[in-house]
Amino acid sequence: MTTSTNQFQKPITANINTKGNIEIGSCDLVDLADEFGTPLYIIDEKTVRSICNDYKKAFEKYPKTNIMYASKALCTSAISALLNDEGIGFDTVSSGEIYTVYKAGVNMQKVLFNGNNKSFDELNLAIDLGVGRISVDNFYELALLNTIAQSKNKTVDILLRITPGIECHTHEYIQTGHLDSKFGFDLSQIDEAVELILNEYTNLKLHGLHAHIGSQIFETSIYADEIDILCKEIARLDEKFNLKLDEINIGGGLGVKYTDQDVPPSTYEIGELIINKLNNSIKKYNIDEPTLFLEPGRSIISMAGATIYTIGSSKQVPKGRKYVSIDGGMADNPRPSLYQAQYYAQIANKKETQETEKVTIGGRYCESGDILINEIELPILNEGDILCVYNTGAYNYSMSSNYNRVSKPAMVLVNDGRAEIIVKRETLDDIVRNDIIPDRLAAK
Ligand code: LLP
């Protein structure tokens, strides 16, 4: 993965073509807007494959590594099929994600099920479809899962999700590993959970420990601390219970470069650090080499994504900002309004060298907070221009909504000049599909 000194990351195939327009995957963005309409999510296949390749190479020196893509970042059937083709496994958190990867033909042994409140139906589905590991989050789930497993006369392979008590410097809403977190067993509760598994919950087979610290992380030392804690616990549990755990899952969280203030380590740097730290901890605590699971989401898919919008109305507030509105916003990308996330954008049909102006990109939704980009210098904009926002592959479509009853955009996968629809644009009929008018209210 690139940690370019540019202001932002964009798909590796992003270029200016001979017409002077931006292209991604050798597809002219203006042509894509004409053919598929806007807003449009674009995923560049080459970028996804190249990042997967970087991850695989970065962890080559520790062959017992399993990369499990965190589906929550972007989960669609085609994306699942693409990552499956790359040999990547899947971290899932709902029956919807489990079903999506299952329907995409993924070997379910390569799927992990996480979450702090998995339902009876979801656990049932996970067992029936043969999900490889379930990371159990709390005492309630341990009992529930054992009961379900017993009723099916099956043994379920599990990890224990633990809260290692590490804080990372990211947005408060996307921290998870600190002590007072809703996720996982506190370190002081692990022994009780293990005793229950060994003595009572005999339909559960514990393989290892799982933690996840947070998301959009740049501090590599956090992973070192996490690995140390997980290995120490594995050694301690062996000594206390004579329990041989041989798997550690360190979660995801590696950040991407949305702006020039974001300085993520490269996949290679993080790979080297994790492997060195793991090897040190293996020696330090005298444990057998565990299988290592990673759950990267954002760092695999974010940079491959871009979203194009059409510029509509604009407004110069006297002595204030100039607002330019697009045909999308907080319903297709809720991150700026939710986390004050920042994005970079370019105009697909205008050269950067043209005269520029500072504008604020407003969304189309009826909410003042629906500002996609606050003050960005762009070539002077006109109605009909195509705005391309970069780094939107992760947590955009997956967190999208139908706010204001606006249809969700389509998504295309681009590669070598071919653009294939992988998610259809919602129609107006889709908007009313699940509505029911009680007979007594039906128009007479
Ligand atoms: N594993 C677990 C257990 C997680 O909870 C998460 C993310 C990941 C892996 C993947 O993390 P990543 O590599 O993508 O950072 N909606 C927020 C991000 C929430 C992340 C939640 N958990 C955002 O848009 O920034």
Side-chain angles (χ1 to χ4, degrees):
M1 191 178 68
T2 48
T3 34
S4 67
T5 47
N6 293 339
Q7 289 178 312
F8 56 92
Q9 289 169 329
K10 45 185 169 177
I12 57 174
T13 63
N15 270 319
I16 306 291
N17 65 17
T18 47
K19 284 194 205 156
N21 294 341
I22 298 175
E23 59 172 31
I24 298 177
S26 306
C27 295
D28 186 316
L29 299 191
V30 177
D31 293 344
L32 290 183
D34 280 348
E35 189 176 347
F36 301 105
T38 57
L40 181 70
Y41 295 113
I42 299 165
I43 301 289
D44 179 43
E45 184 170 337
K46 282 206 168 65
T47 304
V48 179
R49 290 195 187 274
S50 125
I51 291 176
C52 289
N53 210 30
D54 286 346
Y55 258 105
K56 286 183 255 178
K57 279 207 186 119
F59 285 88
E60 243 167 17
K61 286 198 198 131
Y62 195 81
K64 285 178 153 182
T65 303
N66 287 309
I67 299 160
M68 318 292 278
Y69 166 68
S71 297
K72 60 178 80 66
L74 173 62
C75 184
T76 79
S77 303
I79 295 298
S80 306
L82 174 59
L83 291 165
N84 189 40
D85 190 50
E86 282 294 325
I88 304 281
F90 294 84
D91 149 30
T92 58
V93 290
S94 67
S95 47
E97 289 185 0
I98 292 174
Y99 192 64
T100 306
V101 299
Y102 170 72
K103 293 293 276 185
V106 170
N107 169 358
M108 297 308 278
Q109 270 302 309
K110 292 177 76 175
V111 177
L112 216 146
F113 186 24
N114 282 321
N116 66 307
N117 193 21
K118 309 175 188 80
S119 71
F120 177 85
D121 288 348
E122 287 178 315
L123 291 170
N124 247 301
L125 182 78
I127 297 175
D128 289 348
L129 295 184
V131 160
R133 293 284 180 276
I134 297 182
S135 179
V136 178
D137 187 274
N138 50 62
F139 288 109
Y140 166 79
E141 188 186 327
L142 268 183
L144 178 63
L145 187 60
N146 189 62
T147 308
I148 303 173
Q150 230 165 23
S151 72
K152 294 179 189 289
N153 209 9
K154 282 192 175 166
T155 301
V156 175
D157 298 305
I158 65 165
L159 303 176
L160 281 188
R161 168 81 182 257
I162 66 161
T163 312
I166 299 170
E167 279 200 26
C168 57
H169 299 110
T170 187
H171 193 285
E172 180 192 349
Y173 291 2
I174 51 179
Q175 286 180 347
T176 47
H178 53 298
L179 279 177
D180 187 13
S181 156
K182 73 169 180 175
F183 297 102
F185 291 92
D186 190 86
L187 288 179
S188 64
Q189 297 171 319
I190 297 180
D191 289 7
E192 189 184 341
V194 167
E195 272 165 18
L196 282 167
I197 296 166
L198 294 180
N199 303 322
E200 275 184 52
Y201 300 148
T202 48
N203 288 67
L204 305 182
K205 163 108 184 81
L206 179 61
H207 291 268
L209 302 178
H210 172 211
H212 169 79
I213 309 293
S215 201
Q216 187 59 0
I217 296 176
F218 305 131
E219 305 149 84
T220 50
S221 61
I222 277 177
Y223 290 101
D225 294 348
E226 185 189 8
I227 289 168
D228 193 75
I229 291 174
L230 289 169
C231 291
K232 189 174 169 188
E233 282 303 305
I234 284 193
R236 195 183 61 75
L237 292 171
D238 188 12
E239 197 172 314
K240 181 160 179 187
F241 297 102
N242 191 22
L243 179 64
K244 305 277 175 231
L245 298 182
D246 56 4
E247 294 180 5
I248 65 167
N249 180 338
I250 62 169
L254 187 60
V256 300
K257 193 174 178 67
Y258 290 112
T259 73
D260 46 8
Q261 278 110 57
D262 298 333
V263 192
S266 74
T267 316
Y268 291 97
E269 286 170 76
I270 198 78
E272 204 173 316
L273 174 122
I274 288 174
I275 294 170
N276 287 342
K277 182 66 200 179
L278 184 54
N279 284 329
N280 286 344
S281 300
I282 289 169
K283 273 203 203 105
K284 180 171 162 193
Y285 297 112
N286 193 21
I287 57 172
D288 291 340
E289 265 191 11
T291 298
L292 171 70
F293 290 88
L294 311 170
E295 300 171 333
R298 189 190 317 262
S299 55
I300 286 195
I301 205 70
S302 180
M303 184 175 125
T307 309
I308 53 173
Y309 302 93
T310 304
I311 301 289
S313 65
S314 57
K315 164 185 173 175
Q316 175 68 60
V317 178
K319 298 194 189 127
R321 286 187 281 185
K322 178 165 181 186
Y323 287 93
V324 175
S325 295
I326 49 169
D327 53 357
M330 66 186 289
D332 58 76
N333 181 1
R335 300 193 69 259
S337 44
L338 205 50
Y339 317 115
Q340 300 80 46
Q342 291 181 36
Y343 285 87
Y344 271 106
Q346 288 179 308
I347 297 298
N349 55 310
K350 282 188 173 156
K351 294 200 175 63
E352 297 268 283
T353 47
Q354 279 175 235
E355 196 189 339
T356 62
E357 60 180 344
K358 196 178 262 179
V359 292
T360 287
I361 306 290
R364 55 146 308 151
Y365 295 89
C366 297
E367 206 158 302
S368 310
D370 179 26
I371 299 293
L372 202 66
I373 302 178
N374 196 10
E375 305 218 307
I376 178 170
E377 196 77 31
L378 288 172
I380 290 177
L381 294 170
N382 299 105
E383 171 207 341
D385 285 340
I386 302 296
L387 181 81
C388 174
V389 179
Y390 293 104
N391 237 329
T392 61
Y395 304 110
N396 275 228
Y397 174 73
S398 67
M399 293 175 74
S400 64
S401 76
N402 288 111
Y403 185 44
N404 290 178
R405 292 234 130 183
V406 175
S407 321
K408 289 189 189 177
M411 188 181 299
V412 290
L413 184 67
V414 295
N415 196 20
D416 289 337
R418 194 176 51 205
E420 294 162 300
I421 284 272
I422 57 169
V423 178
K424 288 195 272 187
R425 183 175 301 283
E426 284 182 348
T427 62
L428 288 177
D429 279 323
D430 289 329
I431 291 290
V432 292
R433 171 150 298 139
N434 295 320
D435 292 2
I436 296 172
I437 303 178
D439 283 349
R440 66 191 175 80
L441 296 179
K444 305 251 170 9

